[in-house]
Amino acid sequence: MPRFLKILARNLLKGPSTEAFPFKEAFTPPRYRGKVVMNPNLCVGCGICTHVCPGGAIMMKESEDQNGYYFMVWHNTCAFCGSCRHYCPVKAISLSQDWHNAHYQSEKYRMVEHHFVPYLHCSSCGAHIRRLPPALAARIYSHSSVDPATIIRLCPDCRQLATAKREGEVHESSPAPQQP
Amino acid sequence: MNTTQTCEQKSFTLPIGPVHVALEEPMYFRLELDGERVRHVDITSGHVHRGMEALAAKRNFFQNVVLTERVCSLCSNSHPLTYCMAVETLTGIKVPPRAQYLRVMAEEIKRIASNLFNVGIMAHVIGYKSLFMHVMEVRELMQDIKEYIFGNRMDLAANCIGGVKYDMDEELREYADKNLEQVAMHLREIIDIYRHDPMIRARTQGVGVLPVLEAERLGLVGPVARGSGIRLDVRRDAPYAAYADLDFQVITESGGDVHARAMVRLREAGEGIGIVRQILRKLPEGERSAPLQHVPAGEAVARSEAPRGELFYYLRSDGSDVPLRLKWRVPSYMNWEALPVMMKDCAVADVTLIVNSIDPCVSCTER
């Protein structure tokens, strides 16, 4: 018992260790896994986040006018596991430090992270294409002579055509290979 | 309560539970008493069965990492770790060394907190509330480490197939080091109190004795077996992750009673601090997860040492992205069987103390 009395006295001198929340802001560590935040400027619409999300909290759906897609995270369904952040290839998803999830029943449909990501129009034929952020394009084409700035504006079909044309020009300018 | 009263003796059937026996988890005990003494124990379980093995067969491999983390809160890191190990064995993924070390770190941080929680509850059951509060306050330092490094107090979300989702840097290392130093200091005091305090000794020594032969017969695992002197630890017997490179002792006690089991847990927390410190010192550089691969059809097993003992996972896949069958066996499943042995002829007042001493995890067992 005397052993513990020493600790008891020390703890008494230390004072209460509870936080004064809600009268004072509670300490939140920088790496806290709070509400999911998505940056629509980086999203490529690959959908890996919807595939790995354990609760089915993430939804991606094409808009009615087919001009883009909606990205939605339901905070009330989210498990805060950070899988979407981990597997996102372009780091468009992050977890904020915001852990304030208490809300009225009437507000439950507003507890979402909601974004509209518009499609681009192919600069050659006008078809809808999913956006490829310049940084990602630069990474993908880093070992190629292709100019990423022009290629990200083309749909897959026109990209193929452009490549064929370019390769053709290269072959015309170089001497024909010798026939065996 | 049924009462059969004759002139000479008084025997009761006393129901305990299913709510709040020691921890806030449901289990129903039907005790047949002879006066103050327990003569027979019947255990009924199944109150928190959630059908998780069936749920696992409806979710893809990624989703199951998070589902298995929700099996139980106290060993919430051991489940996804063992599941990931099973998937990696089946797929042939080689986990990078840095990830192996980080996995062990998450595992040991959880073990320290879990063991402190259990011995804290023991003080609570005895009625030593101020000690209970103090142990929980020390555990809070571990909770702070979890929150600071992983971002959550219970579910670390540390593991993913092929490695880990989190990473360490210099700032986190310093924070962990600082907190661990405090925990180590407090732990020395706590061990001293648990070992010598006359109140704790009077209440726990010689209570709920589990002889070695019984422990072997029932196939017990974890601190329950080690409290009876059986040297059994998956971390040493079949090293996984980075355990083969780390230096630690397998803690055993010879008493086989409630006190011995609590001492095993406390000393293991001390070993855990040593392991985490080693990792903080020699964490290798490199990738934190291996590239993903297609999971082929086939079967795999994996096992690990959870805070309560050996955890075993079986996985069968048909080559699709959803497992055909995922089955796990948890340490509490075997350890429950020790209760009728421990409770034989014990006093009614010791029942909750004995239940707590096996550190039961009902949500794991019933899942």
Side-chain angles (χ1 to χ4, degrees):
Chain A
M1 202 60 179
R3 283 189 174 83
F4 189 69
L5 284 176
K6 207 176 78 190
I7 295 171
L8 204 62
R10 198 175 64 213
N11 284 353
L12 267 174
L13 284 175
K14 221 171 72 182
S17 52
T18 43
E19 296 201 42
F21 185 80
F23 304 107
K24 225 178 87 192
E25 206 40 59
F27 171 70
T28 307
R31 292 214 186 179
Y32 190 84
R33 299 201 312 272
K35 282 183 195 164
V36 169
V37 178
M38 188 273 229
N39 181 349
N41 295 322
L42 293 177
C43 182
V44 288
C46 68
I48 185 76
C49 48
T50 58
H51 183 68
V52 300
C53 181
I58 304 177
M59 191 192 74
M60 282 170 82
K61 201 175 103 187
E62 191 165 64
S63 68
E64 299 76 20
D65 56 6
Q66 298 181 335
N67 272 329
Y69 57 90
Y70 294 113
F71 175 95
M72 230 187 274
V73 182
W74 285 81
H75 296 313
N76 285 342
T77 314
C78 176
F80 304 99
C81 65
S83 291
C84 48
R85 174 179 65 181
H86 180 74
Y87 288 108
C88 181
V90 287
K91 306 267 172 281
I93 296 179
S94 53
L95 265 63
S96 68
Q97 279 172 275
D98 182 7
W99 46 269
H100 298 277
N101 282 322
H103 60 87
Y104 289 110
Q105 172 77 357
S106 55
E107 286 167 14
K108 67 177 175 183
Y109 295 118
R110 287 196 288 278
M111 291 295 285
V112 284
E113 172 83 3
H114 185 261
H115 291 288
F116 175 69
V117 184
Y119 288 138
L120 285 183
H121 298 281
C122 173
S123 59
S124 171
C125 70
H128 287 160
I129 48 170
R130 277 188 292 186
R131 213 176 27 196
L132 187 61
L136 182 66
R139 215 169 83 199
I140 294 172
Y141 294 105
S142 62
H143 303 296
S144 150
S145 58
V146 176
D147 175 25
T150 53
I151 210 152
I152 59 174
R153 295 177 189 285
L154 296 173
C155 71
D157 286 345
C158 295
R159 211 177 288 173
Q160 214 170 13
L161 215 61
T163 312
K165 271 186 193 162
R166 200 183 57 243
E167 294 293 315
E169 278 165 20
V170 172
H171 279 286
E172 271 166 30
S173 60
S174 63
Q178 293 244 308
Q179 292 292 324
Chain B
M1 191 189 292
N2 304 325
T3 315
T4 333
Q5 199 166 358
T6 60
C7 300
E8 303 87 40
Q9 65 166 23
K10 216 171 163 194
S11 65
F12 302 96
T13 304
L14 178 72
I16 293 192
V19 186
H20 297 190
V21 176
L23 299 148
E24 274 67 21
E25 284 195 295
M27 190 61 101
Y28 175 63
F29 296 90
R30 199 165 155 274
L31 307 175
E32 272 165 33
L33 305 180
D34 185 4
E36 267 286 295
R37 294 282 147 190
V38 175
R39 296 293 181 225
H40 185 76
V41 188
D42 259 346
I43 305 173
T44 308
S45 60
H47 301 88
V48 282
H49 175 66
R50 291 154 290 164
M52 289 188 100
E53 286 183 3
L55 287 176
K58 291 189 187 309
R59 280 163 170 71
N60 65 39
F61 286 106
F62 301 105
Q63 293 174 314
N64 278 329
V65 177
V66 183
L67 180 75
T68 49
E69 185 148 25
R70 265 75 185 166
V71 170
C72 157
S73 62
L74 287 166
C75 22
S76 69
N77 192 63
S78 305
H79 286 275
L81 169 66
T82 320
Y83 163 71
C84 287
M85 275 161 41
V87 176
E88 285 149 11
T89 309
L90 180 58
T91 318
I93 295 177
K94 216 171 160 345
V95 179
R98 186 178 178 84
Q100 301 280 31
Y101 274 78
L102 289 173
R103 279 182 166 184
V104 173
M105 192 171 103
E107 190 69 352
E108 290 304 319
I109 287 174
K110 283 294 284 188
R111 189 187 315 278
I112 299 163
S114 174
N115 285 1
L116 283 173
F117 185 75
N118 178 263
V119 293
I121 296 290
M122 189 192 101
H124 167 70
V125 172
I126 290 171
Y128 204 156
K129 305 286 180 196
S130 42
L131 179 61
F132 159 65
M133 298 289 256
H134 178 66
V135 176
M136 291 302 269
E137 176 71 15
V138 175
R139 170 182 175 264
E140 201 60 28
L141 289 165
M142 294 311 297
Q143 299 296 88
D144 287 346
I145 293 183
K146 291 188 213 169
E147 205 177 21
Y148 208 88
I149 297 179
F150 304 95
N152 194 289
R153 286 165 56 88
M154 289 313 280
D155 290 327
L156 306 186
N159 294 283
C160 65
I161 296 167
V164 287
K165 287 193 257 185
Y166 81 105
D167 207 355
M168 290 292 287
D169 59 22
E170 194 50 34
E171 191 218 341
L172 295 182
R173 202 189 67 81
E174 272 170 29
Y175 184 86
D177 221 19
K178 192 188 76 193
N179 270 24
L180 279 176
E181 198 169 306
Q182 284 191 50
V183 176
M185 187 271 284
H186 287 300
L187 191 66
R188 274 195 295 277
E189 284 178 349
I190 291 172
I191 289 179
D192 186 48
I193 291 167
Y194 274 80
R195 199 191 295 279
H196 296 114
D197 192 285
M199 204 150 83
I200 289 177
R201 287 176 58 182
R203 201 66 174 73
T204 57
Q205 282 185 338
V207 173
V209 176
L210 177 75
V212 187
L213 285 176
E214 284 291 318
E216 279 173 353
R217 184 178 69 83
L218 294 167
L220 303 186
V221 291
V224 179
R226 293 196 284 273
S228 291
I230 300 175
R231 265 180 114 69
L232 194 68
D233 193 320
V234 182
R235 293 177 293 170
R236 190 211 54 175
D237 301 337
Y240 54 96
Y243 280 112
D245 305 340
L246 296 162
D247 188 27
F248 65 97
Q249 296 291 316
V250 177
I251 305 289
T252 53
E253 291 271 338
S254 53
D257 52 8
V258 173
H259 188 256
R261 291 190 277 280
M263 289 316 295
V264 168
R265 290 197 182 93
L266 280 170
R267 289 172 56 202
E268 254 171 32
E271 286 298 313
I273 293 175
I275 294 175
V276 177
R277 277 178 167 167
Q278 287 175 52
I279 294 170
L280 292 176
R281 265 207 320 275
K282 57 179 194 187
L283 182 64
E285 292 296 324
E287 289 293 314
R288 58 191 176 119
S289 64
L292 291 171
Q293 287 169 30
H294 174 72
V295 182
E299 296 173 304
V301 293
R303 59 192 190 129
S304 72
E305 184 77 18
R308 283 149 194 79
E310 182 196 64
L311 176 65
F312 183 92
Y313 264 72
Y314 166 80
L315 171 74
R316 195 191 320 154
S317 162
D318 59 356
S320 70
D321 67 344
V322 175
L324 210 56
R325 180 85 170 95
L326 185 62
K327 154 116 193 114
W328 53 97
R329 189 186 70 168
V330 304
S332 295
Y333 181 71
M334 285 78 84
N335 293 348
W336 275 115
E337 287 303 312
L339 285 178
V341 177
M342 293 176 186
M343 284 187 192
K344 187 85 187 116
D345 300 331
C346 79
V348 180
D350 291 336
V351 168
T352 46
L353 191 55
I354 293 173
V355 171
N356 182 66
S357 79
I358 67 157
D359 202 359
C361 188
V362 183
S363 63
C364 276
T365 317
E366 299 179 354
R367 53 204 182 257

